Amino acid sequence: MFFHYNTYNCIRSYLCLWSRSISKTSRIIPKPNLSASAYQPQFVEKHVYQEWERNGLFTPENFSDKPSFSMVLPPPNVTGKLHLGHALAGTVQDVIVRRKRATGHNVLWLPGTDHAGIATQGVVEKYLKSRHNLTRHGLGRDKFNKEVWKWKEKHGNTICQQLRTMGYSLDWGREMFTMDRKHINAVNLAFIRLFQKGLIYRQKALVNWCNTLQSTVSDIEVDNVEITGPTELRLPGYNEPVKFGQLYDFAYRICDSMEEVVVSTTMPETMLGDVAVAVHPDDSRYKHLRKKRVIHPFNGNTLPIIFDDFVDMKFGTGAVKITPAHSKIDYEVAKEHKLELHQVIDEQGNIINSKEYNGLKKYHCREEIVKRLDGLGLLKKVTPHSMSLPICNRTNDVIEYLPKEQWFLNCSSLNKKAIEVVEKGELKIQPEKFVKNWMNWCKDDRDWCVSRQLWWGQEIPGYKCTYGSNTTWVAANDEHEAKDISAKFLDIEADKIQVEKDTDVLDTWFSSAIYPFSSLGWPDKYSLDYDKFYPLNLMATGHDILGLWVHRMVILGLELTDNLPFKNVLLHGIICDNKGSKMSKSKGNVIDPIDVINGISLDELKKKTEKMYADGILSKSELVKSLEYHKSNFSNTKGIPECGVDALRFTLLSQDIKSHFVNFDVNMCHSNKLFCNKIWQSVKYTHLQFAKLKELPKKRTILENDLTFFDAWILSRLAYMIDIVNTAMGNHDFHLATKALRTFIYNEFCDVYLETTKPGFEHKDKKIGYAHAHTLSTILNASLRCLNPFMIYLTYDLIPRIPQFEESIIYNFNDYDEKYFKYPQSDEFSKWRNINLEIQVDQFLSTIFLIRQLKGYYNISNKLRPTVYINTTNNVLKADINKYSDIVKNLTKCDNIQFGEVTNKNVVSGQLDKDTKLYVELLGKDLNVAMREAKAKLMKKVNKLEDYLAKLEQKMSSPNYVNLSEFTRMIDRENEKSKREELMQLKRLVVDDVLPDDKGKDDNMKLS
């Protein structure tokens, strides 16, 4: 408890430096000046995170009465570096937990890193080879793993420091690594318990095998690359490229007959392992071949012809070879028809069990087999063919399917529970469209291969126990326990049993599947963290690992803890570039978030990319594509401009994260940096205006009725924004929250309201200035608190600097907890909402915007200050403009406003609505020339917009439109909406004034 209170007092002492100490002699609390002329992220963000961490701002209280909220960060690879995918995922989670703290929750957000067996082993192998010309086999397992630990200690904290840079409010005091002894013990216990329940077993079955890694790999490490025709690929272990994308037709001869059956295959080398030929039972071409057999041309064995409806009668000849030892489909067919497995490719990718071809690499053997089949007259044809080629994304080697003895987890009963919790609503998946994916994954009852043939990882607690010719496998904590357990099965004394520990390691996904509860202290159910924070409240992660990770956390959580590990799942999209293309090294469009934060010149970007190529991170083709991408996207800005952390976070969540894809645009990010500057300047402006105010007479006070027309309006808009933001945040619709915040702060508060206060602060009636001051203080406090979870550094710096009154006539921001800024709630501000007033002000502002638009189209300089004429039957609008004419003049840079009929012929006009038409005096221009130029400019833009919308409508009404990606359709919808709004705005500029010498001419240029 001493640490808890000591930390709290440290925080409190620190925040006293920022405190809003109340002056007894002044109503206004004095604040330090904002010395910088503009927002500079490198200064605002510097050293702040270290202070937060040092003062324990992210540490939850075990004995707090506040409602608990807990999440774990999906652990990134220990050897990884921050990429935009991490930045998106982390920002989503950080925004959630920061808002939870600000609404009074006791929050645990737990960090950790994953040992990432395949990735880490690969990185260290490359390092040893390039620096010391050593291989892991040359070192031996023990020495190699020591090198991996050295690498981890030296480089493993890189990504954690980068997560700190992003400002993620993780409790680093609870940080976990999946090779920590605590986690390894939990993993071992999970394995043993599942084995004891009969759910984990050892069996020979077909697995994904990577020859280069010399290990099985999970489905997520396999990319199914589409080959559209003959394509040459360079593969590890081959000096010459290997050709794919061809279909080979060759014949099997029927026993005791001159007849042949022609089969089609893309892998002729596997015919050495054929055990049958299959045709469809309804295929009339082959019905007479029931109970017939074919002769293998190389070994003389006879193979059965089987009938199975899995065969596609339209594929090739309608007859296919069955090679169960090297095809997942054939493996399932063989089990059903009780066919043997004949393995002809080994773990190195060489041919075995075939006398004349043994030792040949499989693709060299392919060439020999095709030649021999041709020589025997059995090769019928070779044709181009589209195919899907399984490629290991770690090594770029072609995946081989091999029968191997492995450890498996039986998922049948576990999947039923996983389906049931979703159907009953106990587990909620957001967005709901992914429930279908969940059900499909759960209904696929394939067992999960949990073993890997790696050296780096968590060793399987499995032991091979032998006595004489009898062998059994058991799961145990050590050899002694293994002997005791196996003695019961072998019916022999334990000390007579020979024990050999399995050298395989567990699939990393198995380790991370128990992470939500092992990280909180499981299996110790009396752990304070486990008791208070398990189950987690939410799991947020990418939709691409719904099956590989989320599903597995659920099934093991239910089985091992009798509880769901979390009851809510939020799935976000995959990060893409500004054109909607998934970011990948192969496309060259990967953007480093650190470069976005700090900025980087085009020359430095080139040097950095070339170094990645020199270090073996990028291939030659990836280097070329990266440099091309940088040149085409960043040449205009001469690199990536400095944006800062806050702008990056805000930009990432400005897109709908629930979409399949989330696109990122550096230009938008830089625009959000300018938004940060707008906020900075608004606080600076508020300081300047507060400095002008003097003490009110003692007998007079500011009341709510003293608020001006625009004070009341901006407070109404604030209430609306707070309601939108709270609803959006509750639904995890962050793009709606960021849009509402930017619209309110940038467009309504900064661009409009601040301008309306300038005359008020200069007015002789000081109450107007004080009313503005109260409003400014409230607006900034409330809006920046809403913005705080997104823009953490800027708001942390500015909120304490906002001038404030001891007693506000609008709202007092007394924080419930000095560590966090209280988050504004909708009901606290709802009384300020006035929809009728908003409609009234909207008319007023629309008048101003149309005047600005007309001035812009006709290039009327602000220095000339023209007269504005308003012809309207809207008496409310007329009264407002008369009352606030100084504001209209200030915002439009016009000199005079007149109502009624227009006598001045030297004007341009625009239609506000059916009741109101505006005219702006055309000064300093030749009317004839200006009108013609404007008409041509306007018509060109209108015609262009109408053509664009017509083509877009045609595209969207096409029958094939539904086949386009969700991202493309989303962009089209957004474009249609924005272009229609733009067209509507242009059509308000009604250029229908007929010039004296233009009567009867140019009627086609009039707009209605």
Side-chain angles (χ1 to χ4, degrees), residues 725-772:
V725 169
N726 274 295
T727 301
M729 295 286 271
N731 295 329
H732 303 131
D733 291 324
F734 305 110
H735 63 301
L736 299 181
T738 55
K739 182 180 179 181
L741 282 161
R742 186 179 168 105
T743 299
F744 175 78
I745 297 173
Y746 204 120
N747 302 119
E748 297 173 346
F749 176 66
C750 292
D751 283 357
V752 178
Y753 177 72
L754 289 187
E755 294 298 323
T756 69
T757 64
K758 289 177 180 178
F761 279 114
E762 302 297 333
H763 203 280
K764 61 182 179 181
D765 184 355
K766 296 301 179 185
K767 285 180 68 174
I768 296 175
Y770 273 88
H772 288 337

Coordinates of all heavy atoms in Angstrom, one line a residue, residues 725-772:
V725 N -20.0 12.2 -30.0 CA -18.7 11.5 -29.6 C -19.0 10.4 -28.6 O -18.4 9.3 -28.8 CB -17.7 12.6 -29.1 CG1 -16.5 11.9 -28.5 CG2 -17.3 13.5 -30.2
N726 N -19.8 10.6 -27.6 CA -20.0 9.6 -26.6 C -20.7 8.4 -27.2 O -20.3 7.2 -26.9 CB -20.8 10.1 -25.4 CG -19.9 10.8 -24.4 OD1 -19.1 10.2 -23.7 ND2 -20.1 12.1 -24.2
T727 N -21.6 8.6 -28.1 CA -22.3 7.5 -28.7 C -21.4 6.7 -29.6 O -21.3 5.5 -29.6 CB -23.5 8.0 -29.6 OG1 -24.4 8.7 -28.7 CG2 -24.2 6.9 -30.3
A728 N -20.6 7.5 -30.4 CA -19.6 6.8 -31.3 C -18.6 6.1 -30.6 O -18.2 4.9 -31.0 CB -19.0 7.9 -32.2
M729 N -18.1 6.6 -29.5 CA -17.0 5.9 -28.7 C -17.6 4.7 -28.1 O -16.9 3.6 -28.0 CB -16.5 6.9 -27.6 CG -15.7 8.1 -28.2 SD -14.1 7.7 -28.8 CE -13.1 7.9 -27.4
G730 N -18.8 4.7 -27.6 CA -19.5 3.6 -27.0 C -19.6 2.4 -28.0 O -19.6 1.3 -27.7
N731 N -19.8 2.8 -29.3 CA -20.0 1.8 -30.4 C -18.7 1.5 -31.1 O -18.7 0.7 -32.1 CB -21.1 2.3 -31.4 CG -22.4 2.4 -30.8 OD1 -22.8 1.7 -29.9 ND2 -23.2 3.4 -31.2
H732 N -17.6 2.1 -30.7 CA -16.3 1.9 -31.3 C -16.3 2.4 -32.8 O -15.6 1.9 -33.6 CB -15.8 0.5 -31.3 CG -15.8 -0.1 -29.9 ND1 -16.3 -1.3 -29.5 CD2 -15.2 0.4 -28.7 CE1 -16.1 -1.5 -28.2 NE2 -15.5 -0.5 -27.7
D733 N -17.2 3.4 -33.0 CA -17.2 4.1 -34.3 C -16.3 5.3 -34.2 O -16.8 6.5 -34.3 CB -18.6 4.4 -34.7 CG -19.5 3.2 -35.0 OD1 -18.9 2.3 -35.6 OD2 -20.7 3.3 -34.7
F734 N -15.0 5.1 -34.2 CA -14.1 6.2 -33.9 C -14.1 7.2 -35.0 O -13.8 8.4 -34.8 CB -12.7 5.6 -33.6 CG -12.6 4.6 -32.6 CD1 -12.4 3.3 -32.8 CD2 -12.9 5.0 -31.2 CE1 -12.4 2.3 -31.8 CE2 -12.9 4.0 -30.2 CZ -12.6 2.7 -30.5
H735 N -14.3 6.8 -36.2 CA -14.3 7.7 -37.4 C -15.4 8.7 -37.2 O -15.3 9.9 -37.7 CB -14.4 7.0 -38.7 CG -15.7 6.2 -38.9 ND1 -16.1 5.2 -38.1 CD2 -16.7 6.3 -39.9 CE1 -17.3 4.7 -38.5 NE2 -17.6 5.4 -39.6
L736 N -16.5 8.3 -36.6 CA -17.6 9.3 -36.4 C -17.3 10.3 -35.3 O -17.6 11.5 -35.3 CB -18.9 8.5 -36.0 CG -19.4 7.6 -37.1 CD1 -20.7 6.9 -36.6 CD2 -19.7 8.3 -38.4
A737 N -16.5 9.8 -34.3 CA -16.1 10.7 -33.2 C -15.1 11.7 -33.7 O -15.2 12.9 -33.4 CB -15.5 9.8 -32.1
T738 N -14.1 11.2 -34.5 CA -13.1 12.1 -35.0 C -13.7 13.2 -36.0 O -13.3 14.3 -36.0 CB -11.9 11.4 -35.7 OG1 -12.5 10.5 -36.7 CG2 -11.1 10.5 -34.7
K739 N -14.6 12.7 -36.8 CA -15.3 13.6 -37.7 C -16.1 14.7 -36.9 O -16.0 15.9 -37.2 CB -16.2 12.9 -38.6 CG -16.9 13.8 -39.6 CD -17.9 13.0 -40.5 CE -18.6 13.8 -41.5 NZ -19.5 13.1 -42.4
A740 N -16.8 14.3 -35.9 CA -17.5 15.2 -35.1 C -16.6 16.2 -34.4 O -16.9 17.4 -34.3 CB -18.4 14.5 -34.0
L741 N -15.5 15.7 -33.8 CA -14.5 16.6 -33.1 C -13.9 17.6 -34.1 O -13.8 18.8 -33.8 CB -13.4 15.7 -32.5 CG -13.8 15.1 -31.2 CD1 -12.9 13.9 -30.9 CD2 -13.8 16.1 -30.1
R742 N -13.5 17.1 -35.3 CA -12.8 18.0 -36.2 C -13.8 19.1 -36.7 O -13.5 20.3 -36.9 CB -12.2 17.2 -37.4 CG -11.4 18.1 -38.3 CD -10.8 17.3 -39.4 NE -10.3 18.2 -40.4 CZ -9.0 18.5 -40.6 NH1 -8.1 18.0 -39.9 NH2 -8.6 19.3 -41.6
T743 N -15.0 18.6 -37.1 CA -16.1 19.6 -37.6 C -16.4 20.7 -36.5 O -16.4 21.8 -36.9 CB -17.4 18.8 -37.9 OG1 -17.1 17.9 -38.9 CG2 -18.4 19.8 -38.4
F744 N -16.5 20.2 -35.3 CA -16.8 21.2 -34.2 C -15.7 22.1 -34.0 O -15.8 23.4 -34.0 CB -17.3 20.5 -33.0 CG -17.5 21.4 -31.8 CD1 -18.6 22.2 -31.7 CD2 -16.5 21.6 -30.8 CE1 -18.8 23.1 -30.7 CE2 -16.7 22.5 -29.8 CZ -17.9 23.3 -29.7
I745 N -14.5 21.6 -33.7 CA -13.4 22.4 -33.2 C -12.9 23.3 -34.4 O -12.6 24.5 -34.2 CB -12.2 21.5 -32.7 CG1 -12.7 20.8 -31.4 CG2 -11.0 22.4 -32.3 CD1 -11.7 19.8 -30.9
Y746 N -12.7 22.6 -35.5 CA -12.1 23.4 -36.7 C -13.0 24.3 -37.3 O -12.8 25.5 -37.4 CB -11.5 22.3 -37.7 CG -10.4 22.8 -38.6 CD1 -9.2 22.2 -38.6 CD2 -10.6 23.9 -39.4 CE1 -8.1 22.6 -39.4 CE2 -9.6 24.4 -40.2 CZ -8.3 23.7 -40.2 OH -7.3 24.2 -41.0
N747 N -14.2 23.8 -37.8 CA -15.1 24.6 -38.6 C -16.0 25.5 -37.8 O -16.2 26.7 -38.1 CB -16.0 23.6 -39.4 CG -15.1 22.8 -40.3 OD1 -15.2 21.5 -40.2 ND2 -14.4 23.3 -41.2
E748 N -16.6 25.0 -36.7 CA -17.6 25.8 -36.0 C -16.9 26.6 -34.9 O -17.3 27.8 -34.8 CB -18.6 24.8 -35.4 CG -19.4 24.1 -36.4 CD -20.3 23.0 -35.8 OE1 -20.2 22.7 -34.7 OE2 -21.2 22.5 -36.6
F749 N -16.0 26.1 -34.1 CA -15.4 26.9 -33.0 C -14.3 27.8 -33.6 O -14.4 29.0 -33.3 CB -14.8 25.9 -32.0 CG -14.1 26.6 -30.9 CD1 -14.8 27.4 -30.0 CD2 -12.7 26.4 -30.7 CE1 -14.2 28.1 -29.0 CE2 -12.1 27.1 -29.7 CZ -12.8 27.9 -28.8
C750 N -13.3 27.3 -34.2 CA -12.2 28.1 -34.7 C -12.6 29.1 -35.8 O -12.3 30.3 -35.8 CB -11.0 27.3 -35.1 SG -10.3 26.4 -33.7
D751 N -13.2 28.5 -36.9 CA -13.5 29.3 -38.1 C -14.6 30.3 -37.9 O -14.6 31.3 -38.5 CB -13.8 28.4 -39.3 CG -12.5 27.8 -39.8 OD1 -11.4 28.2 -39.4 OD2 -12.6 27.0 -40.8
V752 N -15.6 30.0 -37.0 CA -16.8 30.8 -36.9 C -16.8 31.5 -35.5 O -16.7 32.7 -35.4 CB -18.1 30.0 -37.1 CG1 -19.3 30.9 -36.9 CG2 -18.1 29.5 -38.5
Y753 N -16.9 30.7 -34.5 CA -17.2 31.3 -33.1 C -16.0 32.3 -32.7 O -16.3 33.4 -32.2 CB -17.4 30.2 -32.1 CG -17.6 30.9 -30.7 CD1 -18.8 31.5 -30.4 CD2 -16.6 30.8 -29.7 CE1 -18.9 32.1 -29.2 CE2 -16.7 31.4 -28.5 CZ -17.9 32.1 -28.2 OH -18.1 32.7 -27.0
L754 N -14.8 31.9 -32.8 CA -13.7 32.7 -32.4 C -13.8 34.1 -33.1 O -13.5 35.1 -32.5 CB -12.3 32.1 -32.7 CG -11.9 30.9 -31.8 CD1 -10.5 30.5 -32.1 CD2 -12.1 31.2 -30.3
E755 N -14.1 34.0 -34.4 CA -14.2 35.3 -35.2 C -15.4 36.2 -34.6 O -15.3 37.4 -34.6 CB -14.5 35.0 -36.7 CG -13.3 34.3 -37.3 CD -12.0 35.2 -37.3 OE1 -12.1 36.4 -37.5 OE2 -10.9 34.6 -37.2
T756 N -16.5 35.5 -34.2 CA -17.6 36.3 -33.7 C -17.3 37.0 -32.3 O -18.0 37.9 -31.9 CB -18.9 35.4 -33.5 OG1 -18.7 34.5 -32.4 CG2 -19.2 34.7 -34.8
T757 N -16.2 36.5 -31.6 CA -15.9 37.0 -30.3 C -15.0 38.3 -30.4 O -15.0 39.0 -29.4 CB -15.2 36.0 -29.4 OG1 -13.9 35.6 -30.0 CG2 -16.0 34.7 -29.2
K758 N -14.4 38.5 -31.5 CA -13.5 39.6 -31.6 C -14.2 40.9 -31.4 O -13.6 41.8 -30.6 CB -12.8 39.6 -33.0 CG -11.8 38.4 -33.1 CD -11.1 38.3 -34.4 CE -10.1 37.1 -34.5 NZ -9.5 37.0 -35.8
P759 N -15.3 41.2 -32.0 CA -16.0 42.5 -31.7 C -16.4 42.5 -30.3 O -16.4 43.6 -29.6 CB -17.2 42.5 -32.7 CG -16.8 41.5 -33.8 CD -16.0 40.5 -33.1
G760 N -16.8 41.4 -29.7 CA -17.3 41.4 -28.3 C -16.3 41.7 -27.3 O -16.6 42.4 -26.3
F761 N -15.1 41.2 -27.5 CA -14.0 41.6 -26.6 C -13.6 43.0 -26.7 O -13.0 43.6 -25.7 CB -12.8 40.7 -26.8 CG -12.9 39.3 -26.2 CD1 -13.0 38.2 -27.0 CD2 -13.0 39.2 -24.8 CE1 -13.1 36.9 -26.4 CE2 -13.1 37.9 -24.2 CZ -13.1 36.8 -25.1
E762 N -13.9 43.7 -27.8 CA -13.6 45.1 -27.9 C -14.8 46.0 -27.6 O -14.7 47.2 -27.5 CB -13.2 45.4 -29.4 CG -12.0 44.6 -29.9 CD -10.8 44.9 -29.1 OE1 -10.6 46.1 -28.6 OE2 -9.9 44.1 -29.0
H763 N -16.0 45.4 -27.3 CA -17.2 46.1 -27.0 C -17.1 46.9 -25.7 O -16.5 46.5 -24.7 CB -18.4 45.2 -27.0 CG -19.7 45.8 -27.3 ND1 -20.4 46.5 -26.3 CD2 -20.5 45.9 -28.4 CE1 -21.5 47.0 -26.8 NE2 -21.6 46.6 -28.1
K764 N -17.8 48.1 -25.7 CA -17.7 48.9 -24.4 C -18.5 48.2 -23.3 O -18.1 48.5 -22.1 CB -18.3 50.3 -24.7 CG -19.8 50.2 -25.2 CD -20.2 51.7 -25.5 CE -21.7 51.6 -26.0 NZ -22.2 53.0 -26.3
D765 N -19.4 47.4 -23.6 CA -20.1 46.6 -22.6 C -19.3 45.4 -22.2 O -19.2 44.4 -22.9 CB -21.5 46.2 -23.0 CG -22.3 45.4 -21.9 OD1 -21.7 45.2 -20.9 OD2 -23.5 45.1 -22.2
K766 N -18.5 45.5 -21.1 CA -17.6 44.4 -20.7 C -18.3 43.1 -20.4 O -17.6 42.0 -20.5 CB -16.8 44.9 -19.5 CG -15.9 46.1 -19.8 CD -14.9 45.8 -20.9 CE -14.0 47.0 -21.2 NZ -13.1 46.8 -22.4
K767 N -19.6 43.1 -20.2 CA -20.2 41.8 -19.9 C -20.2 40.9 -21.1 O -20.2 39.7 -21.0 CB -21.7 42.1 -19.5 CG -21.8 42.7 -18.1 CD -23.3 42.9 -17.7 CE -24.1 41.6 -17.6 NZ -25.4 41.9 -17.1
I768 N -20.2 41.5 -22.3 CA -20.2 40.7 -23.5 C -18.8 39.9 -23.6 O -18.8 38.7 -23.9 CB -20.3 41.6 -24.8 CG1 -21.7 42.2 -24.8 CG2 -20.1 40.7 -26.0 CD1 -22.0 43.1 -25.9
G769 N -17.7 40.6 -23.3 CA -16.4 40.0 -23.2 C -16.3 38.9 -22.2 O -15.8 37.8 -22.4
Y770 N -16.9 39.2 -21.0 CA -16.9 38.1 -20.0 C -17.8 36.9 -20.3 O -17.4 35.8 -20.0 CB -17.3 38.7 -18.6 CG -16.2 39.3 -17.9 CD1 -15.8 40.7 -18.1 CD2 -15.5 38.6 -17.0 CE1 -14.7 41.2 -17.4 CE2 -14.4 39.1 -16.3 CZ -14.0 40.4 -16.5 OH -13.0 41.0 -15.8
A771 N -18.9 37.2 -21.0 CA -19.7 36.1 -21.5 C -19.0 35.2 -22.5 O -19.0 34.0 -22.4 CB -21.0 36.6 -22.1
H772 N -18.2 35.9 -23.4 CA -17.4 35.1 -24.3 C -16.3 34.4 -23.6 O -16.0 33.2 -23.9 CB -16.7 36.1 -25.3 CG -17.6 36.7 -26.3 ND1 -18.8 36.2 -26.7 CD2 -17.5 37.9 -27.1 CE1 -19.4 36.9 -27.6 NE2 -18.6 37.9 -27.9

